[in-house]
């Protein structure tokens, strides 16, 4: 039907000739919709005489649902006369009122005036398709389709069984950005994919090949339904449904519906992301709840659960708890800083895990305390030994080489009905015993450790009584000047005689420090010592009295004041006092501590750094400390055996101290060789059993004469 009249102005005669010869029903419709002319086949088809057809509104020849379609087509053709729309499936109305299916093809007949404004006419060719199918269901299907096209929010495309486009809606055009009118004219959307429309479609897709493949599948299988998702290059996601267009058993073609699910997909993606975030956070929180964040080990809660579980389990032959605590960790933290402390803990955790790969739990309980749970482990003792040994391997932290050590208590399940707290308490007691026995070791819990614990508690109350009743006494040990060859100082040392025996200061002083009794003891010792040696001090202003002072005492804001008051009361000049402190007091030196020491120094007292060399501090650090004297610890002195060995550490300590303007006292001198060696290094003073053991106050003269005797002997060599 396309072609012969295209673009040309038909004369009235030519038109009449066309009407006469055409076997198809032809209607010429004017711009106002009235039928201008019709031919004989048209008259037959509609059951209306030719003459009666002219002047009728063409819509009266169409079934109600389809009237608007033709009008739309007309309008489109008026706007673009060059279009050749695809045949329209429609229903026409016979004079008798029966509807019949027909295929309508429209062509534009331009007006004679050749003006754009000069309205032309529409040539409608109507071909009944009633013979193809039983009319009623097909009509229904077509009507339904037309209604659907109008009402749906989806983009709809309908093709007939030959894949010619027979319908679509505005939404479809908008969705694919297809210009109005481009779909007019018969187009087979599969056979000719290069057509403008297909190209337009394919250009927008991420995966045009898949799109084409799906079309191919459906073409070969007209009854198939399909559902897929199209990803557009502009980020949109469009869902595509396709199902056969049926009328009863007959397949009329295919309906495609397109739904823009971009917002839905974006919402889904946001929801998925939120869910993933939430899951990650939950995982992290769970991790935090069960793991020690610093070392990655389990935490106390995990250990407690695992231990309780292990003790409940009747099958287990053995349950061992290894409780361990780093030795002197506080010093690492205080001197080298918290970062170094953290690094050390991380490394310790690594080593512990390495020693106990089969452990049920290796946990950090907090601070420098760790615990290991072993179940059904045949060699708990070996693992404990391994831990103690492995920890001793030096490690470098912040440029400083450290040799960590730990005290470990091991307790094992002894009866079926043992409770977790009891087992832990035993491990704790064993660990405490390991510390008391000199650290850097492991001890297995023994029942008599309980007794020791009880004794320790008893000792605490005993010490309290002793302090209250003035039962703490003082011994004095002389310190000699190498240069002057005489006793220049007495060091006051606290003594506690209990139940006829003597409790060593190394036991009761730490106890006193822990319980706070040390202040009372310190005042007692200082006061008594001053009274005892005041006379001796008065004999020579260069003589002095040394007293040991704990860090705990220096925390007191009136400590210096108290000491000076005691000195005044006993008639001792402040410049004749030496305050002995260990370097640990400077670890977390607060203002008060520095103030106490400087008040005393301003009054003339000197400060001696006791046990020098045993801590973590370096020689270099000496410079910063407010001290006048260093006391080299006896462990260094004991390295001198023959007196002929080379001990550079001793000479450098002495030289260093001297270069900083400090005097040096060596402690623990027990042999002539040691005394000679140190004298040769120009050590200023010496103290030790060689000269005299600490003696009670009433035997000061004994201590003095002994020391003098040794000094004379040394001189005479
Ligand atoms: P320290 O201040 O280093 O005291 C020296 C310790 O070495 C004393 O032990 C002394 O008896 C011992 N000693 C002296 N010469 C030798 C020797 O040639 N060889 C050996 N092996 N040891 C020797 P002591 O009296 O048992 O005191 C132990 C620690 O107790 C003292 O060490 C001191 O730190 C502390 N201490 C003693 N009395 C007091 C006190 O009144 N207050 C405070 N805060 N601490 C005190
Ligand atoms: Ca001392
Ligand atoms: Ca000492």
């Amino acid at each position: 039907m396309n072609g012969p009249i295209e673009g040309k102005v038909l004369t009235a005669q030519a038109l009449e000739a066309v009407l006469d010869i055409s076997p198809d029903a032809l209607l010429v419709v004017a711009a106002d919709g009235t039928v201008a002319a019709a031919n004989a086949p048209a008259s037959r088809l509609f059951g209306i005489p030719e003459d009666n057809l002219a002047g009728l509104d063409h819509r009266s020849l169409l079934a109600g649902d389809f009237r608007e379609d033709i009008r739309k087509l007309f309008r489109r053709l008026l706007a673009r006369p060059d279009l050749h729309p695809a045949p329209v499936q429609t229903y026409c109305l016979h004079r008798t009122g029966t509807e019949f299916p027909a295929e309508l093809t429209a062509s534009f007949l331009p007006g004679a005036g050749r003006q754009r404004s000069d309205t032309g006419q529409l040539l409608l060719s109507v071909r009944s398709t009633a013979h193809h199918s039983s009319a009623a269901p097909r009509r229904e299907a077509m009507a339904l389709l037309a209604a659907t096209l109008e009402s749906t929010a989806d983009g709809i495309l309908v093709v007939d069984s030959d894949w010619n486009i027979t319908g679509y809606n505005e939404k479809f055009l908008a969705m694919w950005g297809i210009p109005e009118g481009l779909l007019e004219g018969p187009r087979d959307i599969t056979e000719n994919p290069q057509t403008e429309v297909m190209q337009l479609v394919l250009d927008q897709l991420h995966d045009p090949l898949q799109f084409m493949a799906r079309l191919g599948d459906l073409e070969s299988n007209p009854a198939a339904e399909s559902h897929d998702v199209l990803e557009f290059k502009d980020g949109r996601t469009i869902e595509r449904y396709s199902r056969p267009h049926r009328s009863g058993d007959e397949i009329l073609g295919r309906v495609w519906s397109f739904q823009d699910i971009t917002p839905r997909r974006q919402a889904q993606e946001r929801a998925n992301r939120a869910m993933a975030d939430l899951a990650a956070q939950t995982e992290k929180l769970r991790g935090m709840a069960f793991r020690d964040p610093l070392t990655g080990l389990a935490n106390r809660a995990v250990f407690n659960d695992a231990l309780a579980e292990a003790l409940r389990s009747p099958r287990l032959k053995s349950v061992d708890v290894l409780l361990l605590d780093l030795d002197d960790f506080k010093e690492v933290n205080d001197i080298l800083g918290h970062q170094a402390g953290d690094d050390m803990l991380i490394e310790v955790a690594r080593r512990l895990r390495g020693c106990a790969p089969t452990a049920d739990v290796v946990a950090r309980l907090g601070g420098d305390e760790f615990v290991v749970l072993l179940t059904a482990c045949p060699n708990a003792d070996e693992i404990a030994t391994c831990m103690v040994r492995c920890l001793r391997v030096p490690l470098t932290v912040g440029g400083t080489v450290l040799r960590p050590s730990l005290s470990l208590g091991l307790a094992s399940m002894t009866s079926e009905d043992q409770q977790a707290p009891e087992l832990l308490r035993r491990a704790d007691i064993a660990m405490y015993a390991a510390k008391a026995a000199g650290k850097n070791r492991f001890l297995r819990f023994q029942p008599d450790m309980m007794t020791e614990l009880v004794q320790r508690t008893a000792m605490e109350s005993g010490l309290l009584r002793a302090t209250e009743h003035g039962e703490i006494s003082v011994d004095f040990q002389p310190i000699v000047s190498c240069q002057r060859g005489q006793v220049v100082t007495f060091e006051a040392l606290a003594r506690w005689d209990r139940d006829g025996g003597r409790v060593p200061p190394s036991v009761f002083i730490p106890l006193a420090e822990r319980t706070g009794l040390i202040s009372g003891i310190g005042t007692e010792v200082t006061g008594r010592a001053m009274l005892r040696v005041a006379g001796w001090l008065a004999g020579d202003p260069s003589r002095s009295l040394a007293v040991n002072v704990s860090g705990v005492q220096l925390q007191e804001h009136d400590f210096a004041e108290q000491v000076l008051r005691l000195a005044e009361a006993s008639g001792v000049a402040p410049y004749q006092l030496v305050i002995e402190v260990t370097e640990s007091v400077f670890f977390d030196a607060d203002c008060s501590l520095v103030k106490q020491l400087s008040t005393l120094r301003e009054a003339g007292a000197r400060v001696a750094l006791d046990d020098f060399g045993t801590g973590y501090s370096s020689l270099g650090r000496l410079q910063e400390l407010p001290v006048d004297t260093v006391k080299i610890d006896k462990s260094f002195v004991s390295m001198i055996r023959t007196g002929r060995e080379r001990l550079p550490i001793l000479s450098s300590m002495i030289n260093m101290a001297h270069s900083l303007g400090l005097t040096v006292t060596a402690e623990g001198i027990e042999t002539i060789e040691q005394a000679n060696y140190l004298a040769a290094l120009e050590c200023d003073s010496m103290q030790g059993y060689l000269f005299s053991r600490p003696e009670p106050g009433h035997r000061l003269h004994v201590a003095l004469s002994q020391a003098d005797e040794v000094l004379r002997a040394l001189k005479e060599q």
Side-chain angles (χ1 to χ4, degrees), residues 328-406:
D328 308 313
F329 177 69
K330 187 176 181 303
E331 297 189 11
V332 175
N333 243 347
D334 290 340
I335 299 176
L336 299 175
H338 286 280
Q339 184 56 52
D342 284 356
D343 290 351
M344 181 151 151
L345 289 173
I346 291 167
E347 173 59 13
V348 167
R350 200 186 63 78
R351 292 183 186 182
L352 293 181
R353 258 195 307 240
C355 287
T358 57
D360 292 54
V361 178
V362 179
R364 177 171 169 231
L365 296 180
D368 57 343
E369 213 180 21
F370 297 85
V371 70
V372 178
L373 173 67
L374 303 170
T375 57
C377 172
N379 55 348
D381 287 71
E382 270 171 43
I383 289 177
T385 312
C386 163
M387 285 178 170
V388 173
R389 203 184 47 235
C390 286
L391 229 74
R392 276 312 264 173
V393 175
L395 79 125
T396 309
V397 167
T400 308
V401 178
L402 302 176
R403 285 188 78 194
S405 73
L406 59 78

Side-chain angles (χ1 to χ4, degrees), residues 190-500:
T190 51
E191 271 175 17
N192 197 4
Q194 298 88 297
T195 60
E196 243 176 303
V197 176
M198 188 51 91
Q199 203 51 56
L200 197 73
V201 165
L202 295 179
D203 281 350
Q204 297 181 60
L205 296 172
H206 265 303
D207 193 350
L209 290 179
Q210 187 214 343
F211 181 91
M212 289 301 292
R214 181 53 61 94
L215 288 189
D217 289 349
L218 293 175
E219 199 187 8
S220 55
N221 189 2
E225 294 201 7
S226 81
H227 168 225
D228 55 358
V229 171
L230 306 174
E231 296 294 346
F232 279 51
K233 287 179 184 162
D234 63 8
R236 281 181 301 154
T237 304
I238 288 184
E239 214 169 36
R240 175 173 67 171
Y241 281 101
S242 176
R243 56 184 185 278
H245 182 206
R246 287 176 192 276
S247 171
D249 289 341
E250 187 192 3
I251 294 175
L252 305 181
R254 183 165 278 285
V255 180
W256 305 82
S257 76
F258 300 87
Q259 192 183 8
D260 189 344
I261 58 163
T262 315
R264 196 168 84 203
R265 194 208 54 200
Q266 283 170 344
Q268 184 66 47
E269 277 171 8
R270 272 197 302 277
N272 287 348
R273 259 200 308 279
M275 292 292 280
D277 284 355
L278 196 67
Q281 261 169 9
T282 314
E283 191 49 41
K284 199 167 149 200
L285 281 176
R286 208 200 311 276
M288 272 162 65
F290 298 120
R291 221 171 297 137
D292 166 41
L294 178 66
T295 59
L297 294 181
N299 64 12
R300 185 186 289 272
V302 173
F303 170 79
N304 285 343
D305 284 355
L307 177 59
E309 178 61 36
L311 291 176
R312 266 198 303 273
S313 171
R315 293 164 289 107
L316 286 176
K317 289 217 166 47
S318 74
V319 176
D320 302 287
V321 171
L322 285 67
L323 190 69
L324 36 107
D325 187 282
L326 295 185
D327 298 328
D328 308 313
F329 177 69
K330 187 176 181 303
E331 297 189 11
V332 175
N333 243 347
D334 290 340
I335 299 176
L336 299 175
H338 286 280
Q339 184 56 52
D342 284 356
D343 290 351
M344 181 151 151
L345 289 173
I346 291 167
E347 173 59 13
V348 167
R350 200 186 63 78
R351 292 183 186 182
L352 293 181
R353 258 195 307 240
C355 287
T358 57
D360 292 54
V361 178
V362 179
R364 177 171 169 231
L365 296 180
D368 57 343
E369 213 180 21
F370 297 85
V371 70
V372 178
L373 173 67
L374 303 170
T375 57
C377 172
N379 55 348
D381 287 71
E382 270 171 43
I383 289 177
T385 312
C386 163
M387 285 178 170
V388 173
R389 203 184 47 235
C390 286
L391 229 74
R392 276 312 264 173
V393 175
L395 79 125
T396 309
V397 167
T400 308
V401 178
L402 302 176
R403 285 188 78 194
S405 73
L406 59 78
S407 301
L408 192 158
L410 168 54
S412 307
M413 177 179 68
T414 48
S415 64
E416 293 288 300
D417 56 352
Q418 200 162 27
Q419 299 291 303
E422 173 60 17
L423 198 54
L424 251 180
R425 204 169 83 91
R426 290 182 169 206
D428 191 47
I429 290 168
M431 185 192 79
Y432 200 97
K435 283 241 191 264
K439 306 174 178 175
N440 184 33
R441 70 194 61 215
F442 104 82
L443 287 179
R444 187 175 258 287
F445 174 80
Q446 306 291 341
D448 57 8
M449 287 176 181
M450 283 291 209
T451 330
E452 283 165 29
L453 183 73
V454 172
Q455 283 170 352
R456 208 159 51 230
T457 320
M459 191 183 286
E460 256 174 55
S461 47
L463 185 60
L464 175 65
R465 243 190 341 269
T467 321
E468 283 169 355
H469 294 105
E471 289 168 18
I472 302 295
S473 62
V474 187
D475 273 6
F476 297 88
Q477 188 178 32
I479 299 173
V480 303
S481 158
C482 299
Q483 216 176 18
R484 293 168 50 195
Q486 51 183 234
V487 175
V488 284
T489 308
F490 271 110
E491 177 176 358
L493 294 160
R495 295 291 177 256
W496 179 26
D497 293 316
R498 180 174 179 245
D499 302 334

Side-chain angles (χ1 to χ4, degrees), residues 546-547 549 559 563 577-581 597 600 605-609:
V547 289
V549 172
F559 172 75
V563 172
L577 286 178
V578 177
I579 306 294
E580 293 196 5
V581 294
L597 286 184
L600 289 167
R606 278 161 290 159
V607 176
L609 192 59

Side-chain angles (χ1 to χ4, degrees), residues 477 491 494-495 505 548 550 610-611 634 667-668 670 688-689 694:
Q477 188 178 32
E491 177 176 358
R495 295 291 177 256
N548 294 284
S550 296
D610 210 349
D611 303 342
K634 42 186 173 292
E667 293 183 310
E670 295 179 348
Y689 294 168

